[in-house]
Amino acid sequence: MALVSSTPMLKQARESGYGIVAFNVHSLDMLYAVVEAAAELESPVIIQTTVGTVRNLGPDSVVSSARAAAEKYKIPVALHLDHCTEFEVIVKCIRAGYTSVMIDASMYPFEENVKRTNQVMEIAKFLDINVEAELGKVGGVEDDIVVSDEDAEKAIPFECKEFIKLTGVPTLAPAIGTAHGIYSGDPDIDFERIKQIAELVDVPLVLHGGSAIPGDDVKRCVSLGMAKMNVSTELKNAYSAAIRDHFINEPDSLDPRQYLKFAKEAAKELAKSKILLVGSQGKASSTKRFIHQ
Ligand code: 13P
């Protein structure tokens, strides 16, 4: 099937109490690994790329590979641009065929965040495109965006309500204590805050920093309304570790089909474990029906 907007799949997930994983892919091989994992579990899935990956691969090649994978495996696949601060890159990706974009203006004061989000909403409202915005500041490192522990800030519940009223954004990523990258201890997730936000806004909420969060914590976040979970670091690490292990055992190996095969398998296994964690396995056909209503 064609690439779909992530709006209906996330809405359905939030209403039904499960989550959808959005995997950051860094190569076309990783993209296929994720879609194959989702197809084997009959799950809807979101592929996402950072601005760095868009620059590296080019938006057209990401879009054509994502389209080809969605058509081949016949599951609902959305293609999302993660953490973008530049309006021009957002427009470029939408024109290329991305079906979802994040405008990250969380580094600006509330009013400026509203203004920049509305600039993107002006375009998206004429198209079948999901828009995600962030409130508060998620800590850690994601491509060029670096937020230190001191600068990380949790989202304020009443501001979330106000933000949705002023922008109409269909998906919101409130900072609630998770961070991008691997944690030194367990993350300090503010479940009470998620609950308060979810009581005030009914749009699907997004859990950033999905790598290495203990399974029970992920399930609790999903049950509270976090309908999208972003996973980048763990996928990248699994893929890279398989290549590194191959070269430790076979330092003279020269056939990329050999080591990429192991890397793809490792990425697939990791992707499957995250899909099972949020409970979206078996939801592909009900998502398709929901999309076509
Ligand atoms: P992790 O790298 O911690 O998985 O975070 C991913 C993310 O939130 C991308 O926006």
Side-chain angles (χ1 to χ4, degrees):
M1 60 188 291
L3 292 175
V4 296
S5 160
S6 53
T7 307
M9 69 162 83
L10 290 172
K11 245 172 112 174
Q12 192 196 22
R14 173 149 186 201
E15 282 167 15
S16 313
Y18 61 89
I20 306 273
V21 192
F23 294 99
N24 286 64
V25 301
H26 298 80
S27 69
L28 302 178
D29 209 30
M30 286 173 86
L31 185 156
Y32 268 89
V34 166
V35 178
E36 283 174 24
E40 283 173 26
L41 293 173
E42 293 181 33
S43 170
V45 74
I46 300 173
I47 297 293
Q48 55 188 27
T49 62
T50 59
V51 174
T53 302
V54 170
R55 294 214 166 98
N56 191 31
L57 297 174
D60 293 332
S61 65
V62 178
V63 169
S64 49
S65 296
R67 273 188 191 144
E71 268 156 32
K72 179 169 179 192
Y73 292 102
K74 300 182 175 41
I75 52 165
V77 179
L79 178 60
H80 176 76
L81 174 66
D82 195 25
H83 285 288
C84 189
T85 54
E86 296 163 58
F87 186 67
E88 292 73 14
V89 178
I90 289 178
V91 173
K92 210 169 165 180
C93 286
I94 292 176
R95 289 186 69 149
Y98 275 62
T99 56
S100 179
V101 292
M102 176 177 188
I103 166 70
D104 184 355
S106 60
M107 61 293 293
Y108 297 107
F110 182 85
E111 293 71 23
E112 184 66 17
N113 194 347
V114 168
K115 191 173 141 209
R116 286 174 185 249
T117 302
N118 274 334
Q119 203 182 10
V120 176
M121 288 298 291
E122 266 309 302
I123 308 177
K125 72 182 180 202
F126 297 111
L127 304 162
D128 199 11
I129 297 282
N130 178 271
V131 179
E132 177 181 326
E134 177 172 320
L135 273 185
K137 294 189 188 85
V138 176
V141 180
E142 186 64 53
D143 249 13
D144 297 342
I145 301 177
V146 182
V147 179
S148 67
D149 285 354
E150 300 75 58
D151 288 340
E153 252 172 45
K154 290 179 185 165
I156 299 164
F158 80 83
E159 283 194 354
C160 293
K161 186 176 178 193
E162 191 61 11
F163 192 81
I164 299 292
K165 200 173 106 196
L166 294 171
T167 61
V169 78
T171 322
L172 181 68
I176 44 80
T178 55
H180 297 125
I182 297 293
Y183 302 91
S184 41
D186 276 351
D188 185 16
I189 301 178
D190 192 338
F191 295 104
E192 187 49 37
R193 191 176 295 256
I194 304 175
K195 193 161 166 268
Q196 286 168 8
I197 296 169
E199 275 165 10
L200 294 172
V201 304
D202 62 1
V203 300
L205 303 173
V206 184
L207 182 62
H208 276 251
S211 288
I213 301 179
D216 285 345
D217 287 356
V218 168
K219 287 186 175 149
R220 202 164 154 201
C221 288
V222 170
S223 74
L224 290 171
M226 291 279 189
K228 174 177 181 251
M229 176 170 83
N230 290 0
V231 173
S232 174
T233 306
E234 269 190 286
L235 185 73
K236 185 172 64 178
N237 290 359
Y239 186 83
S240 305
I243 298 176
R244 190 191 53 221
D245 291 349
H246 174 78
F247 277 100
I248 288 172
N249 295 325
E250 292 188 44
D252 298 329
S253 174
L254 288 171
D255 187 343
R257 290 168 301 184
Q258 281 301 318
Y259 55 84
L260 291 181
K261 182 174 79 186
F262 297 125
K264 192 173 166 193
E265 274 312 310
K268 251 176 100 168
E269 284 316 304
L270 189 279
K272 280 183 172 176
S273 71
K274 297 296 174 187
I275 290 170
L276 292 170
L277 193 56
V278 300
S280 63
Q281 70 277 16
K283 307 287 187 197
S285 41
S286 61
T287 303
K288 277 190 212 166
R289 281 198 300 278
F290 193 78
I291 290 169
H292 294 301
Q293 267 170 18

